[in-house]
Amino acid sequence: QSVLTQPPSVSAAPGQKVTISCSGSSSNFGNNYVSWYQQLPGTAPKLLIYDNNKRPSGIPDRFSGSKSGTSATLGITGLQTGDEADYYCGTWDGSLSRVFGTGTKVTVL
Amino acid sequence: QVQLQESGPGLVKPSGTLSLTCAVSGDSISSSYWWSWVRQPPGKGLEWIGAIHHSGSTNYNPSLKSRVTISVDKSKDQFSLKLRSVTAADTAVYYCARDRSYCGSDTCYDYYGMDVWGQGTTVTVSS
């Protein structure tokens, strides 16, 4: 089971902002970086944020990431219908095991 | 452009061995990355299975370690997954991915994330 906890769902109207939290512990977030993944329905996950707050080429700046202590946050501004997806945080645990968050479903109202 | 493509049987019998291969194109599997397997049971979240470096070093999910072997074939630029003694709980979409983490002897750092993913392949465990 996942050791990173996310809210099951968040929602907002088009154009609004949502934030997704990811809560870990000192054994994972305490001394590591976080990445975020977007999984559109029926597709493979896609890297959205790496190194806590950096965006790969092609990812719009509507997506942002931050990390503080043992928690991290993904923000999406100017919400679009195309942003409806599942979002996962990820990092490494101290046992040399990668871990993912429980996942959050974003709904655009 | 780096691409990953999973292949293997879509149906495996209970107690059998699940075997999948991931072909890497547009990059060399001997580059300084880790190559991972991730699965997703129907309607559920992502579960990391394990990863291999071209040097042969491996890291596995502790909950699956006793049943998993990941290997690499540098001559073919591909890596493989074997999961033994499967049950219905192993039914999932299986993804391979390139992982740009750095791993030392006792810690891995998620510097650049898992930046390239295969499209996934569905494996059903059923008699």
Side-chain angles (χ1 to χ4, degrees), chain B residues 62-106:
Chain B
S63 68
L64 298 171
K65 187 174 184 176
S66 64
R67 298 194 291 133
V68 173
T69 300
I70 297 176
S71 58
V72 65
D73 185 336
K74 289 185 277 188
S75 68
K76 295 182 179 178
D77 273 328
Q78 62 186 33
F79 61 107
S80 299
L81 167 70
K82 289 190 185 297
L83 179 64
R84 298 174 290 277
S85 303
V86 298
T87 68
D90 295 309
T91 294
V93 177
Y94 286 76
Y95 298 100
C96 57
R98 187 177 76 172
D99 191 334
R100 297 180 65 185
S101 295
Y102 169 79
C103 293
S105 59
D106 59 356

Side-chain angles (χ1 to χ4, degrees), chain A residues 31-33 92-93 96 98, chain B residues 32-34 53 59 99-114:
Chain A
N31 192 32
N32 217 314
Y33 305 88
W92 285 87
D93 195 75
L96 288 176
R98 245 200 187 281
Chain B
S32 298
Y33 303 134
W34 289 77
H53 190 262
N59 289 314
D99 191 334
R100 297 180 65 185
S101 295
Y102 169 79
C103 293
S105 59
D106 59 356
T107 306
C108 289
Y109 293 99
D110 192 0
Y111 284 138
Y112 298 105
M114 304 174 78

